[in-house]
Amino acid sequence: MERDGWGTPSIARNYADGFDMATRLVARKLADAINAGPNTEVLDVCTGHGVVAAELVERGATVTGLDFSEAMISLARDAVRGARFLQGNAMDIGFPDASFGAVTIGFGVPHFPDPVRGLKEAARVLKPGGAIAFSIWHGKGSDGSFGWLFDAVGRLADPSITLPEGPDAHVLADISVARPLVEDAGFANVTLIEVASELTVPSPDALFDVFDAGAVRAASLLRRQPAATRTAIRKDLAKRTQAAGTMGAPGFLVPAPSVVVSAVRS
């Protein structure tokens, strides 16, 4: 489901548009966490549409972006000059040991079929003492876009419609879970910072469309709901956006809190 979804050009484009502001804000925190600069050679895993790569290039780093989705790689190549982008597999990164000084992963770890294996691969291609930084959205129970979606789906959706088995997309936003997992993958000095990231939507009811058109897991749940249920979830998200969002240009700023986890290779 993930591979097919993120390989669809329309989903890749809608993700890039719908999550643009939030991912750019977090990209700055990822670059800060690895001290990106002119002497930094970075592998940006799950590079997506290149938003983290763009921030790294702006700071003078030498950047290689890796993603399994050719649709995402195409967007990244069009958007970012000064980086190289390759189609590849985060579970089996095609570079020798100790190839990079730093690794960044912008919201990609939740999409790994095996997070520990993926992080071990990141550790393998890092030089000793090299830094890693990855970001995770806050999910169920959080006060923001993803939390609102989970709440609305839990109350309003058909409970018989479920997702395929897969890793929890948000559990690593909890440092008590993230620290031992990251340490098991070969890292030390694990830290977590909260990021007050935000989405921007043209109108309150457009938050539904951000998930429905520019995501894979959430869209899988939403698209199989009856029309009346979809309308109810849309209205619920719009109400939350009106109550907790703030007017901006050109529309509403909506909280989408996330975290950045960083560490160094042991």
Side-chain angles (χ1 to χ4, degrees):
M1 183 186 71
E2 291 263 6
R3 182 172 292 277
D4 290 347
W6 293 116
T8 302
S10 61
I11 292 177
R13 178 75 267 170
N14 289 332
Y15 174 83
D17 292 341
F19 290 89
D20 178 65
M21 179 177 177
T23 53
R24 283 190 290 109
L25 289 170
V26 176
R28 296 169 196 161
K29 302 295 185 181
L30 291 168
D32 290 344
I34 64 164
N35 295 315
N39 296 320
T40 315
E41 189 170 0
V42 187
L43 176 65
D44 185 39
V45 178
C46 302
T47 197
H49 58 294
V51 64
V52 178
E55 180 66 29
L56 296 169
V57 167
E58 186 173 330
R59 299 191 187 203
T62 301
V63 182
T64 300
L66 184 78
D67 204 292
F68 72 73
S69 169
E70 185 58 40
M72 285 293 194
I73 290 292
S74 178
L75 292 176
R77 286 175 177 153
D78 288 344
V80 185
R81 298 290 180 253
R84 64 168 176 163
F85 295 100
L86 305 172
Q87 191 172 13
N89 183 357
M91 299 295 99
D92 185 15
I93 298 171
F95 289 98
D97 296 356
S99 293
F100 297 93
V103 169
T104 52
I105 314 173
F107 299 110
V109 174
H111 305 291
F112 289 179
D114 183 341
V116 172
R117 178 180 168 187
L119 291 172
K120 284 182 176 180
E121 266 295 274
R124 182 186 65 76
V125 299
L126 269 174
K127 296 174 182 177
I132 187 171
F134 62 88
S135 51
I136 305 284
W137 301 111
H138 273 295
K140 189 176 294 185
S142 63
D143 187 15
S145 305
F146 285 87
W148 301 346
L149 177 67
F150 278 109
D151 177 67
V153 167
R155 288 185 289 106
L156 302 170
D158 181 345
S160 69
I161 298 175
T162 60
L163 289 172
E165 285 290 325
D168 188 314
H170 306 277
V171 68
L172 293 184
D174 181 343
I175 187 61
S176 67
V177 178
R179 179 175 283 117
L181 187 147
V182 175
E183 289 176 344
D184 286 349
F187 294 94
N189 302 336
V190 182
T191 63
L192 180 151
I193 63 167
E194 299 284 343
V195 183
S197 38
E198 296 177 302
L199 304 177
T200 179
V201 292
S203 63
D205 67 352
L207 181 58
F208 178 93
D209 298 321
V210 169
F211 291 109
D212 191 47
V216 173
R217 294 185 187 186
S220 178
L221 280 173
L222 294 174
R223 290 175 184 173
R224 289 182 288 156
Q225 302 296 327
T229 301
R230 286 170 55 83
T231 298
I233 294 171
R234 179 188 290 276
K235 289 181 177 178
D236 195 88
L237 293 178
K239 183 178 178 181
R240 298 294 291 268
T241 299
Q242 288 177 313
T246 56
M247 282 295 295
F252 280 80
L253 298 176
V254 186
S258 62
V259 304
V260 166
V261 178
S262 60
V264 295
R265 182 185 168 188
S266 299

